[in-house]
Amino acid sequence: MIEFDPLVIRAMAKWPDVPAVYGWLRLDRRGQWWLIDRGRPDFDEARDGLGSSITSPPIIDFIGRNYASDHLGRWFWQNGPQRVYVTLDCAPFVLRVLGGGTSARLVTHTGAVFEGVQRAAVGPDGEILLASDSACGVVHDLDAAALDLQIQGAATLLQIGDQCLTLEPCADPPGAFGFIRSPGRENPNYPKSHV
């Protein structure tokens, strides 16, 4: 369970009934946050739908420290009293590979160490997905070559540190790993700001 910033916890206690927002924040498959400013008067979904990249290091750090999921598998940023649900291009975390072979370790786009990998899969676009008991991440495409992959018969094995996992095919990563890519689409008000 994530521990939100003390400022966030105080804001949640002070304003407990702030409606959540959907469709305003996106995480791409390389770990970049994007703001989709749907409230702007001249917003055009075709032109502006992918958003504008968030580049401020303090804001990126704040999002990362207050990024979590709910019991339904929807990932969000707790922005003070307001929950901002995230649209995921691929998976809840983007994983960077540090080191190689038996000394390889994984770090998420939020800066946390990703440990306890229990499953490895190849997604429908050839992406490598890794899952622990608490989350799923996609290996950053620039780091895939740093992984120790071995072919043994019909199986492809992935060595992460001292673990060796079989890569399984996965046509539906959200279903297989229990996360929702576009929270709110099931809501008739999506992509409006409040539900």
Side-chain angles (χ1 to χ4, degrees), residues 18-174:
V18 175
V21 295
Y22 299 84
W24 286 64
L25 186 63
R26 182 172 74 87
L27 177 67
D28 73 16
R29 78 152 335 286
R30 287 193 160 178
Q32 175 68 52
W33 296 107
W34 296 81
L35 177 65
I36 304 169
D37 190 6
R38 296 182 188 284
R40 195 178 69 223
D42 63 341
F43 179 82
D44 179 294
E45 183 72 38
R47 182 188 66 223
D48 307 317
L50 293 179
S52 303
S53 64
I54 298 173
T55 59
S56 168
I59 294 173
I60 292 168
D61 289 344
F62 180 64
I63 294 171
R65 287 192 315 271
N66 297 284
Y67 180 57
S69 67
D70 65 15
H71 67 285
L72 298 175
R74 299 177 300 180
W75 286 81
F76 62 89
W77 162 39
Q78 190 66 46
N79 181 24
Q82 187 167 55
R83 188 167 282 191
V84 179
Y85 283 96
V86 178
T87 299
L88 306 169
D89 280 6
C90 193
F93 288 99
V94 177
L95 307 173
R96 301 305 310 248
V97 180
L98 304 179
T102 57
S103 66
R105 62 189 185 98
L106 302 167
V107 177
T108 70
H109 70 282
T110 63
V113 175
F114 192 81
E115 297 177 305
V117 176
Q118 299 173 348
R119 288 177 63 194
V122 177
D125 295 321
E127 69 275 21
I128 297 175
L129 298 148
L130 303 175
S132 68
D133 59 351
S134 61
C136 175
V138 61
V139 174
H140 193 291
D141 59 346
L142 295 178
D143 290 356
L147 294 173
D148 186 2
L149 297 172
Q150 303 164 16
I151 307 291
Q152 287 191 357
T156 301
L157 303 178
L158 170 64
Q159 182 80 36
I160 299 278
D162 59 357
Q163 285 185 289
C164 189
L165 302 163
T166 301
L167 277 174
E168 57 190 69
C170 182
D172 176 26

Side-chain angles (χ1 to χ4, degrees), residues 22 184-195:
Y22 299 84
R185 289 205 190 275
E186 69 279 358
N187 186 306
N189 296 326
Y190 181 88
K192 295 178 184 173
S193 62
H194 300 294
V195 292

Side-chain angles (χ1 to χ4, degrees), residues 4-25:
F4 296 123
D5 286 0
L7 178 68
V8 169
I9 293 169
R10 286 192 303 273
M12 290 167 64
K14 188 172 182 179
W15 298 289
D17 297 322
V18 175
V21 295
Y22 299 84
W24 286 64
L25 186 63

